[in-house]
Amino acid sequence: GEELSEPREQSFIAAMKEYNDCAHFVYDSPFRFERAGEDGAEKVTEKFPECTALICAYDNIAFGAMKSLKEKGFRIPEDFSVIGVDNLNPIRDATPPLSSIACDTEEICQIAWELLEKRMKNPRSGSRQHIVMKCRVFLRDSVGEARKTKL
């Protein structure tokens, strides 16, 4: 990810701690979009040669990571699985097609509008709400079996 994706980063870290306390594998790039993915793939392959998969905070970051990995001679998904977040139309057409996680943007906007409208009607209604939304995973050809590594 990059510094503006902190909420997603916190979710990834929580999930990774729950799984196997491997939150130290998270990398924040100082760059944005595709350049963040290129930078992240570079750092991960140097620092964690046993790594076989990248989960990127955005599809654009994942696209940049795939580009960098291919330039280094890695095959996707045979050597690295790559998944993004947002399920952007143009990125789906990447080679190979990018797997992605997507939340319902329309539903998010609807909930945000309802909360804003409620607040405008009653400015003193400052109670916090915790909203959980389900997302969908779109598995495409950028995810495969993990390659064998020396651990």
Side-chain angles (χ1 to χ4, degrees):
E2 40 86 22
E3 62 187 24
L4 296 178
S5 61
E6 187 174 335
R8 290 179 183 188
E9 176 185 356
Q10 295 310 314
S11 296
F12 290 152
I13 288 173
M16 292 171 83
K17 283 182 179 178
E18 202 173 295
Y19 174 70
N20 195 15
D21 197 25
C22 51
H24 62 282
F25 289 113
V26 173
Y27 174 71
D28 273 338
S29 175
F31 303 104
R32 298 199 63 209
F33 305 113
E34 292 173 20
R35 181 66 184 105
E38 293 167 6
D39 176 56
E42 180 81 24
K43 298 291 189 284
V44 167
T45 55
E46 286 174 9
K47 192 171 179 182
F48 306 108
E50 71 278 11
C51 182
T52 63
L54 297 175
I55 301 174
C56 302
Y58 301 106
D59 286 348
N60 288 320
I61 293 172
F63 184 72
M66 288 188 352
K67 177 182 168 192
S68 177
L69 291 168
K70 287 189 232 176
E71 288 172 357
K72 290 176 154 295
F74 290 105
R75 299 166 301 153
I76 299 167
E78 295 85 359
D79 299 319
F80 266 92
S81 288
V82 180
I83 191 166
V85 176
D86 290 328
N87 201 39
L88 297 176
N89 285 337
I91 305 299
R92 286 186 228 164
D93 297 329
T95 304
L98 178 65
S99 296
S100 189
I101 301 167
C103 293
D104 187 339
T105 307
E106 287 183 32
E107 183 181 5
I108 293 169
C109 292
Q110 182 63 39
I111 291 169
W113 173 249
E114 288 169 5
L115 292 171
L116 180 59
E117 199 173 35
K118 181 179 175 183
R119 186 69 183 253
M120 289 187 309
K121 288 178 182 174
N122 183 4
R124 295 185 186 264
S125 68
S127 63
R128 290 189 154 196
Q129 294 183 9
H130 181 77
I131 298 168
V132 177
M133 299 189 66
K134 291 185 179 182
C135 297
R136 291 184 58 197
V137 176
F138 294 88
L139 289 178
R140 298 186 182 95
D141 295 341
S142 68
V143 173
E145 286 189 41
R147 65 179 155 84
K148 304 293 183 226
T149 62
K150 298 175 197 171
L151 293 178

